[in-house]
Each structure stands twice: as structure tokens, then as C-alpha cells.
Amino acid sequence: MPRFTAPASTGNFTVGFDLLGLALQPVDGSLLGDVLDIESEAASPGLRISGRYAHQLPSDARENLIVTCLDAFAARIGRRLPELSLHLHKNLPVGSGLGSSACSIVTACYGFNASFGHPLPQTELLQLMAECEGGVSGSVHYDNVAPSLLGGLQLMLPGSTEVCRALPWFDHWRVVICYPGTVISTRAARDGLPAQVPRADAVEYAGLLARFISALYARDEAEALDSLKDVMAEPRRLALMPELPALRALFSEAGIPHLGISGSGPTLFAVCTGDAQAESAADLFRRHYEKNPDAMTHICEMAEHGARSV
């Protein structure tokens, strides 16, 4: 049976609101992403759901994103598809800030496209994924679906003929993610942001993003880390995560250079400059958060590859 997967992702990456997205994979080789089995012309069509976070999804399979993606894909290619037996292994928590909906959407659309002879070129496939994601978050944006499909650290390119472009990365960097077991709706988190921001914030945001990208190309690690500041979303989301300032101080005391919000939260991520520092960050996360049975912590590296068959 054909099986497909895509990696988790962190959108914004602190300094690039709606413009940066990083694909993630645990350094221990475990899978951090959803998996979809697709069987065409099956005797028992329909969608079956299993996995650690299956309990967070709607009980009615017809409300699942996989079914939404199947309908959208069929409409886009203008073909009636055969009955399918689908099995979603839901390995990412919902409303976590790890691109959970994007991961399901990318896995599904990539899998359907591969299963039916690749009728959609990559750019059109990515557009379909973003539109499906927009139905969940309330707006079309690419900073989760692009890295989940393509891998790497992706910079979105509004107004360009190219949707995004891969940026350089420091191979020794580790990104430690911690999901505390709670949920923040992406739509709700976005609704809390103002339609307009002060000019000083806009100028500072542009400068920090430019500094970060420049530092990546210049291989200036200290400059890249120093530019990781969120002046757009984080100040307006602290009410949703009031423990962040105290936790950031704790991480700073431990010598960990950056702690940020993954996407819309509640997952947090720490940028570490080596394995020993990453182990320290993971230990701090586990001691602080892993009282909830749904919580999880992973030491990750950049996933070079995105959606694929397995």
C-alpha cells in the first residue's frame, strides 16, 4: 500500500512572521510528521484514523482535512477519482504551532498527486496546499506548507514568480521543540493581531529579518542569533503564553541563545548551537512542561527533505 509523509514545521521562526518556515526532523531518527496510507479501488473505502493524537481530531471523518484535500484535489484536476481507502496516522498534535494542519494537507495532497500520475506541477500543488491551509487558519500563507513540502528553511517571496526560496542553515544548530499538551487555535491567535502595526515596529521587523538572512549567507552565527527577535506577533500573543518571559530568562541563564514561539504556539522552540546545549534545553522543557500526557519534546535538526513516499 502506498504510504506518504511530510515533516513538521515551525512557521515565522521568530523573526519572519508569515515569511519564514523551517522543516524539522528529530536527530534520533524518529518520525515527526503525519503518515497517510492510500489504497485505490479499495473494498472498504473511507478514512481510518490512528496515532498518538488521533483523539484530537473530529470524530466525524467527513470533517477531516484529508477528505477536504481529496475533494479539493479532485476539483482542481477535474477528474472523478476512484473510491479510496485512507489511513491517517496522526502523529502531530492539533493546534500546536508545529504545522499540524499543514502537515496533514501536504501529506494528503502530495500523496494524491503521486497516486494519480502527478497531474499537478509543484507550483500548482503548493498553491492548492496553501488554499486548503487557509481554510483552517483564516488566511492563505505558505510558511508551513512550503517547508513541509520542500524541506529546509524557506523564505516566502510575495509578488515573485517563485513562491519561496531555500536559505542557508548552520548544520550544527539544533532546534528543540516542546509541545506542552495544550491547544491554541491558529485562527484565534491570528485574530488577536492588529490589522496595522506602528511604523517603528514595521521598520524594526524588516531590519531584523534582513539581518538574519544576511547573517545566514555571511555565515555569521552570532549575528544570526542576535537578530532572532519577534516585534510583530509575540508582544501581542503574550496573553496566550504568560509564562514565556520567565521561561526565557531561565533558558538564558542556562546559556541557551534563543527561545521562541513556534508558529502561533503553544509549542516553544529553543535554538541551540550544539548537541550538549540541546540536551540541556530538552531537560528544561521536560521538567517544566511534561506533566500533561499529550506533551512532547524533541531535539531536531533541519529536515533537508520534505514530503515523500515511505
Side-chain angles (χ1 to χ4, degrees):
M1 181 183 298
R3 170 172 285 190
F4 304 92
T5 190
S9 60
T10 179
N12 305 336
F13 204 70
T14 294
V15 75
F17 180 74
D18 275 4
L19 294 178
L20 283 179
L22 175 71
L24 299 167
Q25 64 183 21
V27 296
D28 63 8
S30 60
L31 182 66
L32 186 63
D34 294 343
V35 175
L36 181 65
D37 298 323
I38 301 176
E39 184 179 359
S40 60
E41 300 180 356
S44 301
L47 173 63
R48 183 162 63 96
I49 303 171
S50 64
R52 180 177 178 184
Y53 295 102
H55 65 283
Q56 295 183 344
L57 296 176
S59 57
D60 186 346
R62 291 171 296 182
E63 298 179 13
N64 193 279
L65 278 173
I66 302 300
V67 176
T68 302
C69 289
L70 180 59
D71 292 342
F73 176 77
R76 184 62 59 95
I77 66 173
R79 285 168 50 186
R80 182 174 179 176
L81 303 178
E83 297 278 7
L84 299 176
S85 175
L86 305 170
H87 181 188
L88 172 65
H89 307 261
K90 189 60 186 173
N91 300 320
L92 285 180
V94 176
S96 60
L98 285 170
S100 176
S101 59
C103 184
S104 288
I105 289 165
V106 170
T107 300
C109 291
Y110 179 89
F112 297 145
N113 202 47
S115 297
F116 294 103
H118 300 278
L120 296 180
Q122 183 169 275
T123 300
E124 192 172 349
L125 184 63
L126 186 55
Q127 181 182 12
L128 176 63
M129 293 169 177
E131 291 171 359
C132 290
E133 169 74 351
V136 178
S137 66
S139 65
V140 175
H141 54 285
Y142 290 83
D143 59 328
N144 285 116
V145 292
S148 194
L149 174 64
L150 304 171
L153 175 66
Q154 297 289 338
L155 172 68
M156 307 310 116
L157 304 174
S160 172
T161 56
E162 299 291 327
V163 171
C164 57
R165 178 168 295 145
L167 295 178
W169 181 253
F170 294 98
D171 291 339
H172 62 280
W173 275 12
R174 298 292 179 258
V175 178
V176 184
I177 59 99
C178 178
Y179 166 63
T182 56
V183 172
I184 293 178
S185 162
T186 301
R187 186 186 294 266
R190 293 183 74 84
D191 286 347
L193 300 177
Q196 296 180 329
V197 297
R199 180 170 58 185
D201 288 351
V203 171
E204 185 176 7
Y205 165 75
L208 289 168
L209 179 57
R211 278 182 63 197
F212 180 68
I213 294 171
S214 173
L216 292 178
Y217 278 102
R219 312 306 297 160
D220 188 337
E221 181 178 25
E223 176 76 357
L225 291 169
D226 190 59
S227 62
L228 286 175
K229 299 180 180 68
D230 182 357
V231 297
M232 292 290 283
E234 183 182 304
R236 299 164 177 91
R237 287 175 172 167
L238 280 178
L240 299 173
M241 306 186 70
E243 74 281 8
L244 181 58
L247 195 60
R248 180 170 284 147
L250 184 66
F251 273 62
S252 180
E253 290 173 7
I256 295 161
H258 179 68
L259 179 68
I261 302 173
S262 181
S264 299
T267 293
L268 298 177
F269 72 96
V271 178
C272 302
T273 57
D275 292 326
Q277 199 176 80
E279 291 288 351
S280 297
D283 183 61
L284 284 172
F285 273 138
R286 292 184 181 112
R287 284 192 278 141
H288 190 81
Y289 277 123
E290 290 209 345
K291 304 175 184 67
N292 188 313
D294 276 346
M296 67 174 183
T297 299
H298 288 283
I299 299 174
C300 298
E301 58 190 352
M302 182 185 74
E304 294 184 5
H305 305 290
R308 64 194 189 279
S309 61
V310 291

